[in-house]
Amino acid sequence: MGIKGEYITRAKELKQNELKKRRIAYEQALAALTDQTPRLAEIDRRLGEIGSSLVLLAISGKTKELEKAQEESEALSAEKKALLAGNHVTEPTVLCPLCHDTGYKDGHICPCINEIAKGLMYTDLAERFPLKESTFRRFNLSYYPESCQKKMSHILHFCEDYAAHLSENCGNLLFTGKSGLGKTHLSLAIAGEAINKGLSVVYGSAQNLFASAEKEHFSYSGETAKTDELLTCDLLILDDLGAEFTNAYTQSLFYNIVNSRLLAKKGTIINTNLDFDELTDRYTARITSRLIGSYALKQFDGCDIRQLIALEKKKNKSNTTV
C-alpha cells in the first residue's frame, strides 16, 4: 500500500508551491536588477529582435547573415548570464534530477515526492504523540529493576529487529503489562521506522480509533474511509486496548480488524494492560484465539517508568531551586 494518498497529494502541492515561490523570487529579483541596469533591458530587446529575424533568415537562405545573427545572440546571452551571475540572480535550478521536478519518474511517483510525504506523515503523528522522544536509543533500561533488565533488553532488541525488517507482511505483536512500562514507547519507535521505510501507519488508542469508525458507521453517509484505513494500512498500532467502551459494534469491529488483517497479512501491534483471561472475558475466545495463534506476545515487567521519570524531574527541579 505504501504512503497514503492524502500525503502524496499534499506532498505534490508542497513541491509545486516551492517551485512557484522560487520562480516568483527569481522573477522579482530579475525585475529589480533590470530596473537598476539599463543594459539588461537593451540586451532583452535586441535578443527579441534577433529571435524574430532568425526564422526569416533561415527561410531566405541568407546563410552568412543567419550565422552573424546567431553569433550576436550567443554573445548577448553570455553577457546577460554574466550580468545576472555577477548580481547573484540565477534561474532556479532543478530540485530533483530524477524527475526534473515533475513529480513522476517512469510513470511512477518520484522518490522526492515520497520523501516529502513521509515527512508529512511523521509530522502529523508527532503532533499527537511523543514520536521524537520515543526512539529505540532513548529506551532506558536503567529504569527497570535489575531482575527485569535482561527480559526488557530482549524485548528492546526484538522490537529493533522487527523494525529493521518491516515490510507490508511484517507479522503481529501483542504487548501486555501494566501502565508505564514502555509499551507505547516501543510502539512509537516502530511506527517511526515504518514511516521512514515508506509504509502507511495508523496509530492511536483503541478508544479513539474505534469511536471514529463507529461514528462513521452510524452516520448514514456511506463513507467507510476510517474503517478502510484500519483494515488496509501497512501497519496498525492499537494502543491501550481495553480502555475503550465496549459494545456489540466495537466487538464486531475488533474481530473484523484482527481477522481481516491476518488474512491480508498486514502487520498489527496491540498494546494492552489486560492479561489473556481479561482479554477473553472482554473480547471472547474467538478473538483471543487468533491473538494467541498469530501474535508474538511480549510481556512487559517492572515499575511505572512514567512515575519514576516524573519523580526524577521533580527532584532535579527541587535541587536547582535550592
Side-chain angles (χ1 to χ4, degrees):
M1 180 181 176
I3 296 292
K4 291 183 287 185
E6 65 177 283
Y7 289 106
I8 294 295
T9 299
R10 285 168 58 189
K12 290 178 184 177
E13 291 173 353
L14 282 177
K15 177 95 171 181
Q16 290 305 311
N17 288 339
E18 176 61 22
L19 294 173
K20 186 176 180 179
K21 285 180 183 177
R22 296 172 82 236
R23 171 54 59 180
I24 290 173
Y26 165 72
E27 290 175 352
Q28 289 175 340
L30 179 60
L33 182 60
T34 301
D35 289 341
Q36 299 169 7
T37 312
R39 177 58 181 161
L40 272 177
E42 293 176 12
I43 292 174
D44 285 337
R45 179 184 57 78
R46 181 56 186 150
L47 284 173
E49 293 174 350
I50 294 172
S52 300
S53 66
L54 287 177
V55 176
L56 294 175
L57 290 172
I59 293 174
S60 66
K62 297 178 180 180
T63 307
K64 290 184 178 181
E65 291 182 25
L66 176 62
E67 291 176 354
K68 184 178 179 180
Q70 289 173 333
E71 289 174 0
E72 183 182 0
S73 178
E74 290 173 1
L76 289 171
S77 295
E79 183 183 355
K80 178 179 179 179
K81 185 177 180 180
L83 277 171
L84 295 178
N87 288 275
H88 308 291
V89 178
T90 55
E91 284 259 19
T93 56
V94 170
L95 295 175
C96 179
L98 294 177
C99 69
H100 298 283
D101 295 336
T102 64
Y104 293 89
K105 178 174 172 56
D106 300 328
H108 300 284
I109 296 294
C110 181
C112 71
I113 298 296
N114 281 323
E115 284 301 311
I116 298 172
K118 285 193 291 184
L120 291 171
M121 182 180 284
Y122 189 96
T123 299
D124 280 359
L125 193 58
E127 287 178 351
R128 295 179 288 123
F129 304 99
L131 192 61
K132 294 180 180 179
E133 294 79 17
S134 301
T135 63
F136 292 123
R137 181 179 294 182
R138 298 188 70 170
F139 191 79
N140 193 343
L141 291 168
S142 67
Y143 285 115
Y144 294 89
E146 189 173 341
S147 59
C148 300
Q149 287 185 6
K150 183 176 180 180
K151 179 179 183 179
M152 294 311 300
S153 177
H154 169 77
I155 290 176
L156 169 61
H157 295 314
F158 177 91
C159 291
E160 287 176 321
D161 186 67
Y162 178 88
H165 297 90
L166 275 171
S167 65
E168 292 188 9
N169 180 18
C170 51
N172 311 290
L173 307 179
L174 178 62
F175 294 160
T176 65
K178 296 178 181 179
S179 296
L181 297 182
K183 301 188 298 295
T184 295
H185 185 119
L186 289 181
S187 295
L188 284 170
I190 293 170
E193 292 298 318
I195 292 172
N196 288 334
K197 290 178 179 290
L199 300 177
S200 60
V201 177
V202 172
Y203 186 106
S205 68
Q207 179 178 354
N208 290 338
L209 294 177
F210 289 0
S212 295
E214 185 173 16
K215 182 178 179 180
E216 178 184 72
H217 178 75
F218 291 106
S219 68
Y220 303 105
S221 65
E223 290 291 327
T224 60
K226 295 186 182 299
T227 303
D228 291 345
E229 196 173 55
L230 295 175
L231 298 178
T232 63
C233 65
D234 297 325
L235 179 64
L236 171 65
I237 303 178
L238 290 176
D239 199 16
D240 206 13
L241 180 74
E244 77 283 356
F245 175 75
T246 304
N247 55 31
Y249 174 77
T250 56
Q251 288 272 8
S252 174
L253 174 65
F254 185 40
Y255 174 80
N256 188 26
I257 289 171
V258 170
N259 196 54
S260 296
R261 293 185 65 81
L262 284 174
L263 291 174
K265 297 183 179 180
K266 297 286 186 179
T268 307
I269 299 174
I270 297 175
N271 300 335
T272 182
N273 298 342
L274 305 179
D275 59 29
F276 267 112
D277 289 338
E278 292 170 322
L279 284 170
T280 301
D281 289 341
R282 191 178 182 96
Y283 301 106
T284 75
R286 187 173 66 153
I287 292 176
T288 51
S289 66
R290 282 166 171 76
L291 299 182
I292 293 170
S294 304
Y295 281 64
L297 171 64
K298 297 299 170 185
Q299 171 70 46
F300 285 59
D301 291 325
C303 304
D304 191 325
I305 295 172
R306 293 193 191 98
Q307 290 185 10
L308 292 176
I309 293 174
L311 289 171
E312 189 177 80
K313 288 181 178 178
K314 187 176 181 180
K315 182 179 179 181
N316 291 336
K317 185 177 180 180
S318 175
N319 290 337
T320 58
T321 56
V322 173

